[in-house]
Amino acid sequence: MKTNKIQFQAGMSLNQLLAQYGTEQQCEEVLENSRWPQGFRCPKCSSGEYYHYRRQGSVKIFQCRNCRAQTTLTEGTIFHSTKLPLTIWFQAMYVLSQTKNNVSILELKRLIGISYPAAWRMKRKLYAGHV
Ligand SMILES: [Zn+2]
């Protein structure tokens, strides 16, 4: 599942975005629910028993209690190996989904406060679903 399954309701206000997806923890929960709607399942053995932890500055890591396989919250998603916080990704998805006109990379860069190359990569991933 490499496509982006997170969708915002049409016409969501900036206020609603910040209330619902304003913190890294909120975004992680949304991503976790979208990856495992019935709760975590080990990608190797399908066990639902796991530990979770995180390294400094990294996303949540899940370790299966049964086979010890590890997976991160963002593995297999367009957010994998990103250095940007999930909140920035959610803001970019919001900007790109709420406007009818094509948002330029420069506008995206300016609106969410990231570098031009980061905005370029982000837009490419969000539109094409490339990992
Ligand atoms: Zn397992």
Side-chain angles (χ1 to χ4, degrees):
M1 57 152 280
K2 298 203 165 172
T3 51
N4 169 30
K5 285 187 178 168
I6 294 159
Q7 303 282 334
F8 299 116
Q9 69 212 58
M12 177 188 252
S13 72
L14 192 53
N15 249 333
Q16 287 170 314
L17 176 83
L18 294 174
Q20 292 175 38
Y21 309 102
T23 70
E24 204 60 12
Q25 197 189 341
Q26 285 172 318
C27 295
E28 284 186 351
E29 277 168 20
V30 172
L31 188 55
E32 196 172 325
N33 290 335
S34 105
R35 276 194 74 188
W36 298 295
Q38 269 81 53
F40 174 83
R41 284 277 163 242
C42 173
K44 286 228 171 93
C45 73
S46 300
S47 168
E49 299 288 306
Y50 67 99
Y51 308 94
H52 67 87
Y53 63 99
R54 61 181 73 227
R55 294 192 193 98
Q56 184 84 34
S58 106
V59 291
K60 201 165 166 183
I61 298 166
F62 296 80
Q63 177 160 15
C64 176
R65 280 181 194 256
N66 182 43
C67 76
R68 297 179 171 266
Q70 286 186 349
T71 184
T72 67
L73 181 60
T74 54
E75 203 168 293
T77 73
I78 57 165
F79 313 111
H80 186 49
S81 67
T82 180
K83 290 188 182 73
L84 297 167
L86 289 174
T87 48
I88 293 289
W89 279 95
F90 278 58
Q91 287 170 28
M93 290 189 291
Y94 172 79
V95 166
L96 296 176
S97 69
Q98 300 292 312
T99 49
K100 287 202 175 71
N101 301 322
N102 192 9
V103 178
S104 74
I105 295 165
L106 270 175
E107 282 173 306
L108 189 62
K109 165 189 180 294
R110 186 178 58 78
L111 282 167
I112 60 175
I114 56 175
S115 72
Y116 188 89
W120 184 86
R121 282 194 302 270
M122 213 172 205
K123 191 176 172 188
R124 187 167 164 268
K125 280 192 178 185
L126 289 172
Y127 273 120
H130 290 305
V131 173

